[in-house]
């Protein structure tokens, strides 16, 4: 490694003044080869214009390259001034490069503009930011593609065109045998499957090093309360360091950036997809290039870890090298589990393209085909019935069912409900011969471990059609077929015995090309009987209509109700004997493309397959038309919640959320006993308390038996807001007073009377402050509040006493003190021990001191539950 130029900040100050006429203070910046100094320029204000960067580079062979780099920056400034790239500052002599000699060595000097921001590596990287990065990097590359620079045709260690050579030279230096084998396997796969396409891809000048420290993002706005560790910007403010640019394969540039964007991500492919979409928007990649993106990003990570191992051998005491390669290894080991085709589907879907490239031809071939009946008879003429297994389906509801049901979605209970639905007692109809469940249906029933991805996302979207039929029902081949694979996937909740067939259909585009080619499509049959697949073998041939297998019993089909899972696949992702039958909601478009609608073979009327759930965008538009704008939605992307179950809420795509914000349910969502009791009562009587009735008295007596004296009377209301409003009325009626003491940051309900005593509301956005009869005591937060330590409870309670005293001195005194048992909007703060006891005594003493209502000094006892 060459020695860095021997210059100090004082030299930078002198050079800036001599060559550029800048009066500045210099601070050195990190750099591997050059000397870089931040210049704080006098008399230029306090923004980015008051700063610049002075760069000093050894001339020698680099001089010619620096001229090319200057030409590139000038070209970008002229053709795309909106791009946040460094701008060159001309010297007093009008030159972009100046030179200086020291110790017999010539050095080049240049000054570039300062770009504000912080490195991308240090911020939360969300979709809008990565989309903006993709658009800007694509714009840079589109401008560079118009430049022809002889100097850019150079050899560097890092270009992906030389990756295999670099890795081969350094592979043996990776100490861990398993990791060494992983890198070798990934490089071999690239060479075998992608190297030819890569060599033939288009070439142009590219940035070549868009890593997460060469990219800057906008800083938080001045005065922002968001800490830097939580800052989630949405705009790229700088693209730095064009020193590694080279003429090579165009697709290498987004692939290099992609490699860094997939580091330290829960779901690296999905989270990086907005970057690919943004790049495609600015500088469209070809079909082949989109397929190369992920394999090239993997190759870049392989180069990175191999190079780190090489450098660590040379610098064994350099801990930074180990720290920097750790995230690269973690990403590489994680990403090796992704099939490149699946990633290509996700990226293409994000770009608005058909996710699976072969899917359109397969769909056209299916439309022109003439399949044999799958069950041996015409389904359109049979007695069929929809089996709705969507998230909102009543089949998942335990309410109204037998009393022994404690969980609404166990497999045996679901099987029993499906049987009742298809049976003779359903609405007085004759038994259905076949029950159908929908394709592309989100379901809440997939709870087994195999349905969770490594990121924690649960697969919920059904990719096939389920045919509920009697065990033993014979399945027939829809087309001439060969057996691709046979397996018994015998985990609970899995397919059980499974067959995959391969079919060759006439190429629908063959006539246009003057050929008679074929299109491959695969069909999967799950939940079969073991006996029916015992004699099947790979390569075995069938004619259309031939029997292939039979439907299994619950005891052998993975634990499900007797049915056939029927699914189409365009690409098997190299899997044998198994294939995902359920997809993650966020990958829905990709998997729908790769697994076409089975109704292209079944040929049932579309009405039989039912309606799709309403999209969230449509719901938001309808909500804006018919609901008041003060009814706000939570979260950046509002949740479309359609079901509750225990401690969880479930959205329309079947995602489950642990409910930590709900303020109504006391025993969990849709508790079976509560649902049954409510249904039973509403089927008999639903009215108010103006009539005599045993049930309300029975409930009141049982409830009061759990409370201490003097709580001996019940009022039944419909909400917490009604309860708190009633409590205020009781206290004011009993004391003849109006004033209330509340706790800061408290929230007691959404009635006007309660907003007035809720600082969270009346001191929040749109609030008008407390009325004069409301007195606010400090929030008793012993963690970050004004009082901490052993005496914090008493000191906070004393502030309540002081507040009561001030209220009494200025008027008639206090009617009530109100406090949440857990200060929710204040931060889920637990009240310190002894706080309430002292606060209650202060209020009750004040009431007793001027008692005109015959009270005995204990005040009014009200429990709100």
């Amino acid at each position: 490694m060459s020695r860095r130029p021997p210059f100090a900040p004082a030299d930078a100050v002198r050079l800036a003044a001599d060559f550029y006429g800048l009066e500045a203070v210099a601070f050195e910046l990190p750099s591997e080869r050059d000397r870089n100094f931040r210049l704080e320029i006098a008399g230029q204000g306090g923004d980015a214009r008051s700063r610049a960067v002075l760069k000093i580079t050894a001339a020698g062979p680099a001089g010619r390259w620096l001229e090319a780099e200057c030409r590139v920056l000038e070209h970008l400034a002229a053709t795309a001034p909106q791009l946040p790239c460094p701008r060159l500052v001309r010297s007093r002599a009008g030159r972009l490069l100046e030179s200086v000699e020291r110790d017999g060595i010539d050095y080049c000097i240049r000054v570039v503009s300062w770009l504000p921001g912080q490195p991308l590596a240090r911020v939360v990287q969300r979709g809008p930011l990565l989309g903006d990065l993709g658009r800007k990097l694509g714009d840079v590359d589109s401008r560079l593609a118009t430049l022809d620079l002889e100097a850019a045709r150079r050899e560097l260690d890092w270009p992906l065109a030389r990756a295999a050579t670099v890795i081969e030279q350094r592979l043996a230096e990776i100490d861990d045998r398993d990791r060494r084998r992983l890198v070798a396997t990934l490089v071999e796969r690239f060479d075998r499957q992608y190297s030819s396409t890569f060599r033939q891809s288009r070439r142009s000048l590219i940035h070549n090093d868009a890593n997460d420290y060469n990219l800057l993002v906008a800083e938080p706005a001045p005065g922002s309360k968001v800490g830097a560790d939580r800052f989630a910007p949405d705009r790229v403010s700088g693209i730095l360091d064009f020193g590694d640019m080279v003429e090579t394969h165009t697709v290498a540039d987004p692939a290099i950036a992609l490699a860094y964007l997939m580091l330290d991500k829960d779901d690296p492919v999905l989270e990086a997809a907005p970057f690919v979409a943004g790049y495609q928007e600015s500088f469209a990649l070809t079909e082949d290039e989109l397929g190369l993106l992920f394999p090239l990003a993997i190759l870049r990570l392989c180069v990175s870890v191999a190079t780190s191992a090489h450098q660590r051998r040379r610098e064994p005491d350099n801990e930074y090298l180990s720290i920097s390669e750790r995230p690269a290894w973690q990403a590489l080991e994680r990403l090796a589990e992704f099939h490149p085709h699946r990633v290509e589907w996700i990226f293409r879907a994000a770009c608005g393209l058909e996710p699976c490239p072969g899917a359109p031809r397969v769909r056209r071939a299916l439309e022109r085909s003439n399949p044999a009946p799958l069950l041996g008879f015409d389904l359109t003429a049979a007695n069929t019935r929809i089996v709705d297994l969507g998230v909102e389906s009543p089949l998942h509801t335990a309410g109204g069912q037998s009393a022994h049901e404690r969980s609404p979605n166990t497999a045996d209970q679901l099987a029993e409900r499906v049987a009742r639905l298809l049976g003779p007692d359903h609405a007085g109809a004759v038994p259905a011969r076949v029950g159908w469940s929908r394709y592309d249906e989100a379901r809440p029933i997939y709870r087994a471990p195999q349905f969770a991805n490594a990121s924690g996302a649960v697969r919920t979207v059904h990719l096939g059609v389920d045919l509920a039929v009697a065990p033993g029902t014979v399945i027939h081949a829809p087309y001439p077929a060969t057996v691709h694979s046979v397996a018994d996937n015998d985990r609970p909740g899995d397919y059980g015995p499974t067959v995959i067939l391969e079919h060759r259909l006439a190429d629908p585009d063959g006539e246009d090309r003057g050929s008679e080619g074929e299109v491959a499509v695969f069909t999967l049959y799950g939940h079969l009987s073991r006996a029916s697949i015992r004699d099947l073998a790979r390569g075995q041939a069938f004619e259309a209509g031939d029997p292939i297998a039979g439907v299994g019993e619950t005891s052998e089909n993975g634990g499900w109700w007797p049915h056939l899972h029927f699914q189409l696949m365009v690409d098997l992702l190299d899997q044998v004997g198994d294939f995902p039958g359920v997809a993650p909601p966020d990958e829905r478009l990709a998997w729908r493309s790769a697994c076409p609608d089975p109704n292209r073979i079944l040929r049932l009327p579309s009405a039989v397959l039912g309606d799709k759930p309403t999209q969230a965008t449509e719901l938001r538009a309808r909500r804006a038309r018919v609901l008041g704008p003060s009814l706000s939605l939570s979260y950046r992307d509002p949740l479309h919640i359609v079901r509750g179950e225990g401690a969880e809420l479930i959205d329309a795509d079947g995602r489950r959320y642990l409910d930590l914000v709900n303020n109504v349910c006391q025993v969990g969502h849709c508790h079976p006993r509560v649902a049954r009791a409510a249904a039973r009562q509403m089927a008999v009587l639903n009215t108010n308390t103006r009539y005599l009735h045993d049930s309300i008295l029975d409930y009141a007596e049982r409830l009061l038996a759990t409370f201490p004296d003097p709580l001996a009377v019940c009022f039944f209301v419909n909400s917490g807001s009604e309860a708190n409003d009633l409590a205020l009325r009781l206290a004011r009626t009993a004391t003849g007073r109006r004033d209330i003491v509340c706790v800061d940051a408290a929230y007691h309900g959404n009635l006007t009377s309660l907003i007035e005593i809720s600082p969270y509301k009346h001191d929040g956005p749109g609030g008008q402050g407390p009325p004069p009869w409301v007195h606010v005591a400090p929030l008793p937060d012993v963690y970050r509040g004004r009082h901490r330590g052993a005496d914090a409870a008493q000191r906070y309670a004393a502030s309540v006493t002081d507040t009561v005293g001030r209220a009494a001195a200025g008027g008639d005194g206090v009617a009530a003190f109100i406090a949440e048992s857990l200060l929710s909007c204040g931060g889920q703060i637990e009240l310190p021990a002894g706080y309430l006891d002292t606060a209650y005594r202060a209020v009750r003493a004040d009431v007793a001191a001027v008692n005109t209502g015959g009270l005995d000094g204990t005040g009014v006892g009200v429990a709100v539950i």
Side-chain angles (χ1 to χ4, degrees):
M1 185 180 295
S2 61
R3 189 169 66 90
R4 296 172 65 206
F7 291 84
D11 300 310
V13 170
R14 178 178 55 80
L15 294 171
D18 292 349
F19 287 103
Y20 295 90
L22 297 175
E23 183 182 345
V25 179
F27 302 89
E28 186 160 9
L29 298 171
S31 177
E32 181 180 354
R33 292 184 298 268
D34 302 340
R35 286 282 188 186
N36 294 331
F37 299 92
R38 184 180 84 241
L39 300 179
E40 297 285 350
I41 304 170
Q44 295 293 322
D47 58 15
R49 292 172 296 178
S50 66
R51 293 179 175 179
V53 179
L54 186 142
K55 304 171 76 71
I56 305 174
T57 307
R64 179 166 169 263
W65 173 244
L66 289 177
E67 292 177 0
E69 187 178 343
C70 289
R71 182 180 170 188
V72 164
L73 293 178
E74 287 282 274
H75 175 73
L76 291 174
T79 60
Q82 77 282 359
L83 286 173
C85 299
R87 300 286 185 262
L88 289 161
V89 178
R90 291 186 178 272
S91 68
R92 283 173 160 179
R95 290 187 287 267
L96 299 177
L97 288 174
E98 291 288 356
S99 61
V100 67
E101 182 267 339
R102 174 167 288 190
D103 300 330
I105 300 175
D106 293 328
Y107 295 94
C108 293
I109 302 169
R110 56 204 159 119
V111 171
V112 298
S113 60
W114 174 266
L115 296 177
Q118 55 183 298
L120 177 70
R122 297 177 183 170
V123 302
V124 177
Q125 300 172 14
R126 293 206 174 104
L129 172 63
L130 299 188
D132 185 65
L133 168 59
R135 286 186 291 273
K136 285 174 177 169
L137 184 62
D139 204 357
V140 167
D141 284 346
S142 70
R143 311 291 172 169
L144 296 182
T146 63
L147 271 181
D148 184 12
L149 290 179
E150 179 66 30
R153 301 183 185 102
R154 57 178 181 159
E155 288 293 327
L156 297 174
D157 277 350
W158 282 99
L160 286 174
R162 297 189 63 248
T165 301
V166 172
I167 294 170
E168 182 180 1
Q169 294 170 348
R170 299 171 179 175
L171 184 63
E173 296 180 284
I174 299 175
D175 295 328
D176 186 284
R177 182 178 61 182
D178 292 336
R179 286 180 164 180
R180 189 167 60 246
R181 185 185 300 117
L182 172 63
V183 170
T185 299
L186 292 172
V187 173
E188 187 277 330
R189 183 177 72 179
F190 182 89
D191 185 62
R192 174 169 36 87
Q193 298 182 2
Y194 301 101
S195 60
S196 176
T197 304
F198 182 45
R199 285 194 298 269
Q200 297 172 33
S201 66
R202 59 178 169 164
R203 299 174 66 90
S204 65
L205 181 63
I206 66 170
H207 180 281
N208 194 45
D209 195 17
N211 70 64
D212 46 4
Y213 281 92
N214 281 340
L215 301 165
L216 301 179
V217 299
E219 300 271 12
S224 171
K225 296 181 181 179
V226 179
D229 59 331
R230 297 178 55 207
F231 178 48
D234 59 7
R235 180 174 59 85
V236 171
S237 62
I239 301 176
L240 307 177
D241 192 359
F242 285 75
D244 286 323
M245 64 184 181
V246 67
E247 182 180 304
T248 185
H249 301 278
T250 305
V251 67
D253 216 26
I256 291 168
L258 180 64
Y260 291 98
L261 296 179
M262 292 191 295
L263 299 178
D264 296 320
K265 298 292 191 301
D266 292 333
D267 201 329
V269 173
L270 272 177
E271 292 183 56
F275 162 77
V276 179
Y279 191 95
Q280 183 76 0
E281 184 181 328
S282 287
F283 192 35
L285 297 167
T286 67
E287 296 269 325
D288 285 343
E289 288 170 339
L290 280 168
L292 287 168
L293 260 184
F294 181 70
L296 284 171
I298 292 287
L299 195 63
R300 171 69 176 215
L301 291 173
C302 288
V303 173
S304 179
V305 296
T307 300
S308 293
H310 172 70
Q311 293 173 336
R312 195 158 22 83
R313 288 287 182 97
R314 298 170 61 187
E315 303 178 59
D317 297 328
N318 189 340
E319 294 183 4
Y320 174 77
L321 295 175
S322 298
I323 295 172
S324 62
E325 73 176 307
R326 188 177 300 116
W329 273 118
Q330 290 172 345
L332 196 59
E333 291 166 342
R334 173 86 178 279
L335 293 169
E337 300 173 1
F338 284 78
H339 194 287
H341 290 184
R342 175 190 165 197
V343 178
E344 182 183 1
W345 301 344
I346 294 170
F347 287 167
R348 289 174 63 94
C351 295
L353 303 172
E354 174 74 48
C356 182
R361 287 178 61 206
V362 169
R363 290 198 297 265
R364 290 193 296 272
L366 290 169
E367 289 167 359
R368 295 187 182 187
S369 68
N370 185 27
L374 199 68
L375 300 181
F377 56 86
D378 183 1
L379 292 173
T380 62
N383 178 19
T384 63
R385 196 169 294 152
I386 284 292
V387 178
D388 180 6
L389 294 173
V391 182
E392 298 182 69
S393 171
L395 285 177
H396 305 307
T397 301
Q401 304 300 332
S402 58
H404 73 274
E405 292 183 344
R406 289 180 294 174
S407 172
N409 291 323
T410 59
D412 58 336
Q413 292 164 358
L414 191 56
E416 181 183 342
R417 293 173 200 155
V418 171
R420 283 201 300 266
L421 173 66
L422 301 178
D425 296 332
H426 179 70
V430 298
R433 189 173 185 183
V434 181
W436 295 94
S437 70
R438 300 183 180 100
Y439 165 74
D440 189 33
E441 177 179 68
R443 300 175 174 179
I445 59 178
Y446 301 111
R447 307 302 303 274
Q450 64 262 33
F451 293 108
N453 290 348
S455 65
V458 176
R459 296 184 292 122
T460 63
V461 180
H462 195 243
L463 297 173
V465 167
D466 287 336
L467 293 73
V469 291
T473 299
V474 177
I475 311 302
H476 302 258
Y479 305 109
T482 56
V483 175
H484 173 274
S485 50
V486 183
D488 188 353
N489 299 293
D490 59 356
R491 290 180 299 180
D494 213 321
Y495 285 130
T498 310
V499 173
I500 298 177
L501 300 182
E502 180 178 356
H503 312 276
R504 295 283 173 170
L505 305 182
D507 184 353
D509 303 326
E511 296 177 3
D512 298 335
R513 298 197 302 264
S515 66
E516 297 182 358
E518 294 178 324
V519 174
V521 63
F522 302 88
T523 52
L524 181 147
Y525 309 83
H527 311 304
L528 305 174
S529 69
R530 290 194 175 94
S532 69
I533 68 168
R534 187 174 297 127
D535 297 327
L536 289 180
R538 183 179 178 89
Q540 186 173 342
F542 292 97
E543 293 298 322
D546 283 353
I548 56 171
V551 174
E553 299 271 6
T554 298
S555 60
E556 61 181 345
N557 76 354
W560 301 100
W561 68 98
H563 72 284
L564 170 71
H565 174 94
F566 177 58
Q567 183 173 332
L568 308 185
M569 292 85 66
V570 175
D571 183 341
L572 285 179
L573 303 179
D574 299 325
Q575 295 200 40
V576 176
D578 194 9
F579 193 81
V582 193
D586 290 331
E587 298 180 31
R588 194 172 200 155
L589 291 177
W591 287 95
R592 281 180 54 184
S593 175
C595 300
D597 186 348
N599 201 37
R600 295 179 183 275
I601 290 178
L602 301 175
R603 307 293 171 91
L604 288 167
S606 58
V608 174
L609 294 181
D611 299 325
K612 294 290 189 299
T614 308
Q615 296 298 310
T617 51
E618 180 183 345
L619 287 176
R620 293 186 72 172
R622 289 173 57 196
R623 180 185 172 102
R625 288 195 300 268
V626 300
L627 295 185
S630 60
L631 299 174
S632 60
L633 285 166
S634 297
Y635 309 111
R636 179 182 292 104
D637 296 315
L639 303 179
H640 181 190
I641 299 297
V642 298
R643 192 176 198 90
E645 193 174 284
E648 296 175 323
L649 293 173
I650 309 174
D651 72 9
D653 287 322
R655 300 182 190 86
R656 292 174 179 266
Y657 302 85
L658 182 62
D659 185 6
L660 297 176
V661 299
N662 188 67
N663 57 355
V664 176
C665 294
Q666 302 298 319
V667 291
H669 294 281
C670 307
H671 192 290
R673 289 179 59 190
V674 174
R676 284 194 296 271
R680 189 166 54 244
Q681 180 60 50
M682 286 189 289
V684 177
L685 177 65
N686 182 16
T687 184
N688 55 34
T689 57
R690 66 167 54 97
Y691 309 112
L692 292 174
H693 199 280
D694 292 333
S695 294
I696 192 171
L697 302 178
D698 293 341
Y699 177 58
E701 289 169 349
R702 290 175 59 190
L703 185 64
L704 289 170
T706 68
F707 281 87
D709 293 334
L711 300 178
V713 175
C714 289
F715 294 88
F716 291 105
V717 293
N718 289 323
S719 68
S721 290
E722 283 193 28
N724 284 338
D725 182 72
L726 178 58
L728 288 180
R729 291 169 59 195
L730 290 171
R732 285 169 171 162
T733 299
T735 64
R737 301 174 178 183
R738 180 173 179 79
D739 287 27
I740 304 295
V741 175
C742 62
V743 176
D744 199 10
Y747 175 54
H748 298 295
N750 57 16
L751 299 180
T752 299
S753 62
L754 302 174
I755 290 174
E756 290 174 336
I757 63 169
S758 297
Y760 175 75
K761 285 291 187 180
H762 66 230
D763 285 340
Q768 299 178 355
W773 45 267
V774 172
H775 311 279
V776 180
L779 180 71
D781 184 353
V782 298
Y783 177 68
R784 60 177 64 83
R786 67 174 73 170
H787 303 309
R788 306 176 195 181
D791 63 343
Q794 294 306 311
R795 296 177 71 180
Y796 277 120
S799 66
V800 176
T801 303
D802 293 343
T803 304
V804 171
R806 287 195 300 273
D812 294 332
V814 172
F817 166 72
I818 185 168
E820 301 165 88
S821 56
L822 184 72
L823 299 169
S824 56
C825 292
Q828 308 301 324
I829 294 172
E830 187 176 353
L831 294 171
Y835 171 79
L836 285 181
D837 181 65
T838 303
Y840 288 169
R841 290 178 186 278
V843 177
R844 289 168 178 165
D846 178 63
V847 171
V850 290
N851 179 18
T852 59
L855 297 178
D856 60 4
T858 60
V860 178
V862 179
V864 177
I865 61 172

